[in-house]
Each structure stands twice: as C-alpha cells, then as structure tokens.
Amino acid sequence: MNNLIQKYNIPGPRYTSYPTVPFWDNDGFTKQGWIDTFQRSFDESNEEEGISIYIHLPYCEALCTFCACNKRITKQHSVEVPYIETVLKEWKLYVDLFSSRPKIKEIHLGGGTPTFFSPDNLKRLIDGIFEYAEVAEGYEFSLEGHPNNTTREHLQALYDLGFRRISYGVQDYDIKVQKAINRVQPFENVKRATDEAREIGFTSVSHDLIFGLPHQTMEGMTETINLTKQLNPDRISFYSYAHVPWIKGVGQRGFHDEDLPSPELKRALYEEGKKMFEEMGYFEVGMDHFALENDSMYQSMKNHTLHRNFMGYSSSKTQLMVGLGVSSISDSWYSFAQNEKTVEEYEKSIHNGELSVFKGHILSEEDLIMRRHILNLMCNLETSWANETMKFDDLERIKIMLKGMVDDNLIEFVEDGLIVKEEGRPFVRNVCMPFDKRMIDNEPETRIFSMTI
C-alpha cells in the first residue's frame, strides 16, 4: 500500500463539480447565459423533483486554521439581520425569474457557522424563503452546526421549520490537535449537542472528522473514533485535510508543514479509521462518508441514486441548485455561477437589484458527458459508455492513462465501462482525473489542488 500511496499521492480535484472551478471558461460566461440555463432547468425539473437551495452564512466568532471555507470573523452579531435581509432580496430576484412557484426539495445551511445566527434570525431567514415557495415531497433540510454554540433553542427552532439533519464539525478530540487548528471543543459539548438534537427529533446526526491534521497520531485518532462510537452518529464524514495555504493564506498558517503527518501516516490513519467504522457497523459511501445501514445516504448508494454537488454527497438529486449568499455557487446542470466573494461586493450588487454572479461556466456537450462519467465514478464507483449519450472521443487516451491503475489491480475495464475495485476506492479522485479533459487540455503551471491522499 505504501508504494501505491507514493505513486498516486498527487495534487487533484475533489470533483464537487465538473469542470472544476479553476478550469471554468469565464470568458465565455455571461450573466444572461446563466439566467437562460437556470430558467431552462427550472422548467424541466421543478414540478417533478423540485429544487435545492444552499445558503452560505459566512460569519464565525473565531478562525479555525484548518478551514478553507469563505468566512468572515467577527463577534459583532449586529451583522445578522442586514445579511439575512440581503439573502432574502437575492432569493426574490431569483423568484421573479421563475415561471412558476418553486418547490424546495433540499435546503442546506453552510458556512462559516450557521449557528452564529440566533434562532429567531434563522427562523426569519427560512420563513422568508417560503414566502415565495412550497415544500416538495420527500424534502430534506440540513445544516452545519458548531457543537460549542448550537443551543437547544437553535435545534428546536430549526426542527419546527422542517430540519431533520444536522452535521457537527468535530474534527479531532486530541487537545494538542484542537489547539493547533484553533478549534477547542470538549467531548461533553459534542455529546450535549448530539443528545439534544436526538431528543428534539432530528433523524440524522452526522459528525465530521478529519485525518491529516497537524500533530495527529494513530493513538489520538483511535481515541477520537472510540469517543465517536459512544455517540453513535448516523453518519460520519471522514475528510482528508486539504492543506492549501497558497490559496487561503494566513488562515492555514497556524502551524508548520512539518507538524503534518507524513503521507504514509495519513493514509494509515484513514485505513485504521475505515476499519474501525466498519467494525462499528458503518458502510463506506462514495468518498469520505460512512453511514449506518438504515441511513438514507447508505440506501441511496445501494439504489444508485446518490448524488454529488457543491453541497457534497446527497441522498437525493435535484437538477437545479440555487446558491444564496456571499461566494455561493449555483448549479443548473447546464452551467455554474458563483456569487461575489466579499460581503461588501455581494451586498452591493443585490441592493442594486442585480444577481451577485461574477463568474461561471456554461457546459458544452462534451462537458456534460464527462460530468456524467465523473459523477458516476464518485457516487457509484463505476461508469458505462454503452449508451450513445455517454460516448466520447477520448476513450483510448483514458485507457492509456489508467493502465497503471489496471496493473495495480485498482480498477477494471469491462465491456463499455469501468469499475473501481474495493482496493481502488481510496484512489477514486485519481481514477476521475483522466476524464477531466478541461484540466488535461489546460495543464496548470502552478499547484492549485490539495493532494489526493
């Protein structure tokens, strides 16, 4: 395994989209082009499956130095109401462009720290969304919560609004690791937040853990997972720490590079974690995720209905996802569009009566084909080009690029298709990369992705 780690541990995308953001054709993108595609997507899909909404709530009271998200650090909670008012104005701009009343299948509150906002203001936000929309059948509303500041009042307010899934950022229980990443939260806080969510009625509680953080050891990781076992979350996200200080600057310079585990130890942390999760009754889902057998994410994997987008893995699919808030990314299936990255620029455009979109990508027919293949691999660990709509011109090149993975018994080419073997699951990002024609045709001159392992 160590030889394979050395061979395949290269910079690569996480494929929450294709094309990935660095290879969007911004020159060929227009705001009107985005509007045309999301109106098309809405008309095609709203009645049948509804739409998804991602709302970015960027504020945090303290900076976690492992975090690569767009955030604004402040203890001034006076920012809450103006920001929510702006998000609701943005939503109304979209509503005015829809041909009928939207049906909302999914809402996800991300950040930042969504629970930075008071329960009353979160209620104000969601009530404002549904002033112009209705709930779709089989809806799923979820949020990210910080165990230190998610209160019973938060949980009750969100439960009353229809939220049933919450993901707590745990990362690691080792106090040395917590101090290095400026994220100190005792086990007791996580237990309280988990127990209260279940007492109130949340049906899915997820814990996010990260391997590859500074100062992590095998002993410490084992203890973190044993403590997690005591709380038995419905899902566990086991993320590889993405060390990208050249992109995020000072936010990821709270420790030295030599404090990070070696690639071999990092992979061993993952393998031991995976083994422990399986012994605890969890099943690996896609990449990074583990779920109990009765969880909807595991069931969707078994049914081949697992989906992946900028919100991560989802147990249901909508063709259209509208991103609201600063830096949010929207996805119409036919195009992507990203909002302004600073709160000031975002608010300025919305208050001028304009969508805050400042860049994006309109997918070509070739993009759509490759997107489907990469989604199949990331979600189902297999893909097929037997269907005419899945055929492409690069098959021989892809087979040549993946020959080493065939020889290493990680993947198998079958008639008109490709299967990732169990041994190849840790390398699924590498399997996808030969399908990434945009990246291959525009090979980056500098490093822009985290390591795949």
Side-chain angles (χ1 to χ4, degrees), residues 242-351:
H243 190 53
V244 288
W246 60 90
I247 296 176
K248 293 299 177 182
V250 69
Q252 292 199 353
R253 286 297 187 191
F255 43 83
H256 301 293
D257 286 0
E258 56 265 30
D259 296 328
L260 297 170
S262 67
E264 292 76 19
L265 175 55
K266 186 178 180 183
R267 196 69 229 166
L269 293 172
Y270 169 79
E271 294 295 341
E272 181 62 23
K274 176 181 175 181
K275 175 185 173 185
M276 293 179 70
F277 296 144
E278 290 174 348
E279 291 172 350
M280 292 157 56
Y282 292 89
F283 293 86
E284 191 167 13
V285 177
M287 180 184 75
D288 307 326
H289 288 64
F290 296 81
L292 295 175
E293 190 170 10
N294 60 354
D295 189 87
S296 62
M297 183 170 285
Y298 173 75
Q299 294 299 325
S300 66
M301 181 192 73
K302 295 289 287 184
N303 298 331
H304 278 205
T305 57
L306 191 67
H307 187 58
R308 183 171 174 83
N309 56 26
F310 287 103
M311 296 191 292
Y313 283 109
S314 172
S315 56
S316 62
K317 168 195 165 291
T318 64
Q319 183 168 302
L320 176 62
M321 183 187 78
V322 176
L324 303 176
V326 61
S327 76
S328 286
I329 297 177
S330 297
D331 177 359
S332 72
W333 180 255
Y334 304 110
S335 68
F336 303 112
Q338 184 170 21
N339 283 350
E340 294 283 357
K341 290 189 174 183
T342 69
V343 173
E344 291 77 15
E345 288 298 317
Y346 163 71
E347 291 182 339
K348 179 181 176 182
S349 57
I350 297 301
H351 290 296

Side-chain angles (χ1 to χ4, degrees), residues 78-306:
S78 58
V79 299
E80 293 184 34
V81 171
Y83 186 79
I84 285 175
E85 289 178 345
T86 306
V87 169
L88 292 177
K89 285 183 179 179
E90 181 186 13
W91 172 235
K92 185 60 166 60
L93 291 174
Y94 274 107
V95 168
D96 290 343
L97 292 167
F98 292 147
S99 58
S100 60
R101 192 171 175 86
K103 297 180 178 180
I104 299 179
K105 180 74 169 290
E106 294 181 319
I107 295 177
H108 184 72
L109 305 182
T113 307
T115 46
F116 172 97
F117 289 74
S118 72
D120 285 344
N121 282 330
L122 291 174
K123 184 177 187 304
R124 178 177 184 170
L125 172 64
I126 302 303
D127 283 344
I129 294 292
F130 281 103
E131 183 177 349
Y132 306 106
E134 58 188 69
V135 178
E137 184 178 350
Y139 71 91
E140 184 174 273
F141 299 164
S142 59
L143 78 147
E144 299 163 13
H146 193 316
N148 285 354
N149 69 10
T150 301
T151 65
R152 180 178 284 272
E153 290 72 25
H154 278 114
L155 294 167
Q156 187 64 61
L158 289 162
Y159 179 86
D160 292 343
L161 292 164
F163 285 74
R164 297 293 183 269
R165 188 167 73 80
I166 186 166
S167 176
Y168 289 122
V170 175
Q171 325 319 344
D172 194 295
Y173 286 115
D174 187 323
I175 188 62
K176 186 175 182 180
V177 176
Q178 290 185 352
K179 287 181 177 179
I181 63 176
N182 197 35
R183 181 67 175 245
V184 176
Q185 53 191 20
F187 172 77
E188 291 72 24
N189 289 9
V190 181
K191 183 178 187 306
R192 173 198 57 76
T194 299
D195 290 345
E196 288 182 347
R198 286 176 166 153
E199 289 165 7
I200 286 170
F202 279 74
T203 55
S204 181
V205 179
S206 177
H207 287 185
D208 294 349
L209 306 179
I210 298 180
F211 64 95
L213 291 170
H215 305 300
Q216 273 184 331
T217 63
M218 184 62 72
E219 181 181 9
M221 177 58 68
T222 301
E223 176 63 13
T224 288
I225 294 174
N226 281 330
L227 288 169
T228 301
K229 181 179 180 180
Q230 293 182 30
L231 302 182
N232 197 36
D234 302 276
R235 299 178 187 177
I236 297 172
S237 297
F238 196 39
Y239 293 118
S240 169
Y241 167 58
H243 190 53
V244 288
W246 60 90
I247 296 176
K248 293 299 177 182
V250 69
Q252 292 199 353
R253 286 297 187 191
F255 43 83
H256 301 293
D257 286 0
E258 56 265 30
D259 296 328
L260 297 170
S262 67
E264 292 76 19
L265 175 55
K266 186 178 180 183
R267 196 69 229 166
L269 293 172
Y270 169 79
E271 294 295 341
E272 181 62 23
K274 176 181 175 181
K275 175 185 173 185
M276 293 179 70
F277 296 144
E278 290 174 348
E279 291 172 350
M280 292 157 56
Y282 292 89
F283 293 86
E284 191 167 13
V285 177
M287 180 184 75
D288 307 326
H289 288 64
F290 296 81
L292 295 175
E293 190 170 10
N294 60 354
D295 189 87
S296 62
M297 183 170 285
Y298 173 75
Q299 294 299 325
S300 66
M301 181 192 73
K302 295 289 287 184
N303 298 331
H304 278 205
T305 57
L306 191 67

Side-chain angles (χ1 to χ4, degrees), residues 4-10 404-405 408 410 427 430 452-453:
L4 293 178
I5 291 170
Q6 293 173 1
K7 183 176 182 178
Y8 294 112
N9 190 27
I10 60 175
M405 301 195 86
D408 290 329
L410 302 176
F427 307 100
N430 302 75
T452 57
I453 301 169

